[in-house]
Amino acid sequence: DAGVIQSPRHEVTEMGQEVTLRCKPISGHNSLFWYRQTMMRGLELLIYFNNNVPIDDSGMPEDRFSAKMPNASFSTLKIQPSEPRDSAVYFCASRSRTGGNTEAFFGQGTRLTVV
Amino acid sequence: QQQVKQSPQSLIVQKGGISIINCAYENTAFDYFPWYQQFPGKGPALLIAIRPDVSEKKEGRFTISFNKSAKQFSLHIMDSQPGDSATYFCAANKGDYKLSFGAGTTVTVRA
C-alpha cells in the first residue's frame, strides 16, 4: 500500500483565494482525520470522519474551513477565502477501527503558504 | 485546551546518552497512549504505544514508562543516536475516538 496520499505537497496562494487540499486514505481504513501543524499551536485536530461521516468538527477554526468525504477513498479540506494565518502544514491521517485502538497513519502533509 | 501536556519543549543529548520526554494527562478514560516520531518534512509516524494495564513497554532502544495513578507516561530513548534527532509527540486516545497530541519535543542528538 502506498500509504496516505496527500496533494498537493506544497501550495502557495494569495489571500482571499480558495484552497483545496486532497487526501486519499489507506484502503480499508474507515477513520480519517485532518490535522493542522504550526510552530505556535502544534498538531491540532480539525475534523474527524468515521465511515465517511463527520463525527467531530469542533477543531475547524471557522466557517471558512470545510471538509468533505464523499466516499471511503477520498477527502477534501477547503479554505475559502484563505488568509495568511492559515499558513501551516496540513496532515491527513487514516486508521482502521477494527481491533480496538490501532495506529493512525499520516500522509506527508501539504505545506500551505498564504501570501 | 490541550488534554495531554508534554515536556520539555526541546532537549539536546550527546550520542550514547539517554533522552527522557514526559507527558501528563487528565482524562482517566484514555486507554491508549502512543508516541509518534516526526522527521522534518514528513508526517508523524508511530514509534511505540502502551495501554494502561502495563507499566512499561520496551522496543529496542525505546521504552515507555506508564504511571496510571499519577496519570503520567514517559518515553526513554537509550543510547541516543544522531538518527534519533526528530520531534516526538505523545498522544492519548479513548476507544476509537480522536488522538489528543502533546505539544511535541524536539530532540537533538550531538555526535
Side-chain angles (χ1 to χ4, degrees), chain A residues 9 31 33 35 37 41-43 45 48 50 55-56 58 91 95 97 99-104 106-108, chain B residues 2 9 31-32 36 38 41-46 51 87 89 93-103:
Chain A
R9 289 294 312 276
S31 295
F33 308 83
Y35 284 89
Q37 185 175 37
R41 300 175 69 90
L43 268 169
L45 177 67
Y48 159 52
N50 234 19
I55 303 299
D56 184 349
S58 59
F91 288 103
R95 187 174 74 186
R97 279 186 64 187
N101 299 111
T102 56
E103 177 180 357
F106 282 76
Q108 298 265 51
Chain B
Q2 263 186 333
Q9 187 174 15
D31 60 2
Y32 177 66
Y36 279 76
Q38 184 180 29
K42 304 291 186 182
L46 181 67
R51 296 186 187 278
T87 300
F89 295 92
N93 182 203
K94 171 185 174 298
D96 60 2
Y97 202 57
K98 60 187 180 183
L99 279 170
S100 296
F101 281 91

Side-chain angles (χ1 to χ4, degrees), chain A residues 29-67:
Chain A
H29 283 190
N30 47 17
S31 295
L32 184 139
F33 308 83
W34 281 101
Y35 284 89
R36 178 171 68 176
Q37 185 175 37
T38 60
M39 288 293 291
M40 290 295 294
R41 300 175 69 90
L43 268 169
E44 301 175 274
L45 177 67
L46 300 178
I47 187 168
Y48 159 52
F49 291 87
N50 234 19
N51 294 322
N52 314 336
V53 176
I55 303 299
D56 184 349
D57 65 354
S58 59
M60 296 286 262
E62 45 198 278
D63 291 345
R64 298 184 297 105
F65 285 70
S66 63

